[in-house]
PDB file of all heavy atoms in Angstrom:
ATOM      1  N   VAL A 447      -3.967  -7.042  15.036  1.00  0.00           N
ATOM      2  CA  VAL A 447      -5.409  -7.293  14.939  1.00  0.00           C
ATOM      3  C   VAL A 447      -6.026  -6.437  13.840  1.00  0.00           C
ATOM      4  O   VAL A 447      -6.850  -6.904  13.039  1.00  0.00           O
ATOM      5  CB  VAL A 447      -6.098  -7.027  16.296  1.00  0.00           C
ATOM      6  CG1 VAL A 447      -7.621  -6.966  16.147  1.00  0.00           C
ATOM      7  CG2 VAL A 447      -5.730  -8.111  17.304  1.00  0.00           C
ATOM      8  N   ALA A 448      -5.648  -5.166  13.803  1.00  0.00           N
ATOM      9  CA  ALA A 448      -6.179  -4.270  12.766  1.00  0.00           C
ATOM     10  C   ALA A 448      -5.813  -4.776  11.377  1.00  0.00           C
ATOM     11  O   ALA A 448      -6.657  -4.812  10.467  1.00  0.00           O
ATOM     12  CB  ALA A 448      -5.656  -2.851  12.979  1.00  0.00           C
ATOM     13  N   ASN A 449      -4.563  -5.193  11.196  1.00  0.00           N
ATOM     14  CA  ASN A 449      -4.138  -5.682   9.885  1.00  0.00           C
ATOM     15  C   ASN A 449      -4.784  -7.009   9.538  1.00  0.00           C
ATOM     16  O   ASN A 449      -5.184  -7.238   8.389  1.00  0.00           O
ATOM     17  CB  ASN A 449      -2.615  -5.810   9.838  1.00  0.00           C
ATOM     18  CG  ASN A 449      -1.921  -4.473   9.687  1.00  0.00           C
ATOM     19  OD1 ASN A 449      -2.201  -3.735   8.763  1.00  0.00           O
ATOM     20  ND2 ASN A 449      -1.028  -4.153  10.595  1.00  0.00           N
ATOM     21  N   LEU A 450      -4.923  -7.901  10.510  1.00  0.00           N
ATOM     22  CA  LEU A 450      -5.559  -9.191  10.244  1.00  0.00           C
ATOM     23  C   LEU A 450      -7.036  -9.026   9.897  1.00  0.00           C
ATOM     24  O   LEU A 450      -7.542  -9.699   8.989  1.00  0.00           O
ATOM     25  CB  LEU A 450      -5.405 -10.112  11.462  1.00  0.00           C
ATOM     26  CG  LEU A 450      -4.012 -10.697  11.693  1.00  0.00           C
ATOM     27  CD1 LEU A 450      -3.942 -11.395  13.040  1.00  0.00           C
ATOM     28  CD2 LEU A 450      -3.644 -11.673  10.568  1.00  0.00           C
ATOM     29  N   SER A 451      -7.723  -8.145  10.608  1.00  0.00           N
ATOM     30  CA  SER A 451      -9.146  -7.949  10.321  1.00  0.00           C
ATOM     31  C   SER A 451      -9.362  -7.284   8.969  1.00  0.00           C
ATOM     32  O   SER A 451     -10.451  -7.367   8.387  1.00  0.00           O
ATOM     33  CB  SER A 451      -9.804  -7.119  11.426  1.00  0.00           C
ATOM     34  OG  SER A 451      -9.233  -5.827  11.524  1.00  0.00           O
ATOM     35  N   ALA A 452      -8.322  -6.625   8.447  1.00  0.00           N
ATOM     36  CA  ALA A 452      -8.439  -6.013   7.122  1.00  0.00           C
ATOM     37  C   ALA A 452      -8.413  -7.051   6.001  1.00  0.00           C
ATOM     38  O   ALA A 452      -8.929  -6.793   4.903  1.00  0.00           O
ATOM     39  CB  ALA A 452      -7.299  -5.012   6.916  1.00  0.00           C
ATOM     40  N   ILE A 453      -7.825  -8.216   6.262  1.00  0.00           N
ATOM     41  CA  ILE A 453      -7.560  -9.175   5.190  1.00  0.00           C
ATOM     42  C   ILE A 453      -8.821  -9.617   4.448  1.00  0.00           C
ATOM     43  O   ILE A 453      -8.873  -9.534   3.208  1.00  0.00           O
ATOM     44  CB  ILE A 453      -6.774 -10.379   5.741  1.00  0.00           C
ATOM     45  CG1 ILE A 453      -5.356  -9.936   6.119  1.00  0.00           C
ATOM     46  CG2 ILE A 453      -6.729 -11.522   4.734  1.00  0.00           C
ATOM     47  CD1 ILE A 453      -4.568 -10.979   6.885  1.00  0.00           C
ATOM     48  N   PRO A 454      -9.873 -10.116   5.136  1.00  0.00           N
ATOM     49  CA  PRO A 454     -11.043 -10.566   4.367  1.00  0.00           C
ATOM     50  C   PRO A 454     -11.715  -9.435   3.594  1.00  0.00           C
ATOM     51  O   PRO A 454     -12.229  -9.662   2.494  1.00  0.00           O
ATOM     52  CB  PRO A 454     -11.972 -11.154   5.438  1.00  0.00           C
ATOM     53  CG  PRO A 454     -11.515 -10.570   6.731  1.00  0.00           C
ATOM     54  CD  PRO A 454     -10.047 -10.361   6.579  1.00  0.00           C
ATOM     55  N   PHE A 455     -11.700  -8.227   4.129  1.00  0.00           N
ATOM     56  CA  PHE A 455     -12.313  -7.089   3.430  1.00  0.00           C
ATOM     57  C   PHE A 455     -11.468  -6.689   2.217  1.00  0.00           C
ATOM     58  O   PHE A 455     -12.018  -6.318   1.176  1.00  0.00           O
ATOM     59  CB  PHE A 455     -12.485  -5.915   4.383  1.00  0.00           C
ATOM     60  CG  PHE A 455     -13.492  -6.168   5.461  1.00  0.00           C
ATOM     61  CD1 PHE A 455     -13.110  -6.753   6.666  1.00  0.00           C
ATOM     62  CD2 PHE A 455     -14.827  -5.858   5.273  1.00  0.00           C
ATOM     63  CE1 PHE A 455     -14.041  -7.005   7.657  1.00  0.00           C
ATOM     64  CE2 PHE A 455     -15.762  -6.103   6.255  1.00  0.00           C
ATOM     65  CZ  PHE A 455     -15.373  -6.692   7.456  1.00  0.00           C
ATOM     66  N   ALA A 456     -10.140  -6.744   2.362  1.00  0.00           N
ATOM     67  CA  ALA A 456      -9.267  -6.418   1.234  1.00  0.00           C
ATOM     68  C   ALA A 456      -9.456  -7.400   0.090  1.00  0.00           C
ATOM     69  O   ALA A 456      -9.314  -7.036  -1.086  1.00  0.00           O
ATOM     70  CB  ALA A 456      -7.804  -6.413   1.690  1.00  0.00           C
ATOM     71  N   LEU A 457      -9.790  -8.653   0.402  1.00  0.00           N
ATOM     72  CA  LEU A 457     -10.048  -9.652  -0.639  1.00  0.00           C
ATOM     73  C   LEU A 457     -11.448  -9.517  -1.213  1.00  0.00           C
ATOM     74  O   LEU A 457     -11.642  -9.527  -2.437  1.00  0.00           O
ATOM     75  CB  LEU A 457      -9.858 -11.060  -0.062  1.00  0.00           C
ATOM     76  CG  LEU A 457     -10.216 -12.215  -1.002  1.00  0.00           C
ATOM     77  CD1 LEU A 457      -9.323 -12.211  -2.232  1.00  0.00           C
ATOM     78  CD2 LEU A 457     -10.118 -13.551  -0.262  1.00  0.00           C
ATOM     79  N   ALA A 458     -12.446  -9.366  -0.343  1.00  0.00           N
ATOM     80  CA  ALA A 458     -13.839  -9.450  -0.790  1.00  0.00           C
ATOM     81  C   ALA A 458     -14.324  -8.188  -1.492  1.00  0.00           C
ATOM     82  O   ALA A 458     -15.064  -8.273  -2.484  1.00  0.00           O
ATOM     83  CB  ALA A 458     -14.746  -9.756   0.402  1.00  0.00           C
ATOM     84  N   MET A 459     -13.946  -7.008  -0.999  1.00  0.00           N
ATOM     85  CA  MET A 459     -14.542  -5.781  -1.531  1.00  0.00           C
ATOM     86  C   MET A 459     -14.185  -5.513  -2.997  1.00  0.00           C
ATOM     87  O   MET A 459     -15.053  -5.092  -3.765  1.00  0.00           O
ATOM     88  CB  MET A 459     -14.171  -4.593  -0.653  1.00  0.00           C
ATOM     89  CG  MET A 459     -14.784  -4.658   0.747  1.00  0.00           C
ATOM     90  SD  MET A 459     -16.582  -4.904   0.747  1.00  0.00           S
ATOM     91  CE  MET A 459     -17.140  -3.302   0.211  1.00  0.00           C
TER      92      MET A 459
END
Side-chain angles (χ1 to χ4, degrees):
V447 167
N449 284 305
L450 286 171
S451 62
I453 291 170
F455 293 89
L457 175 63
M459 293 307 287

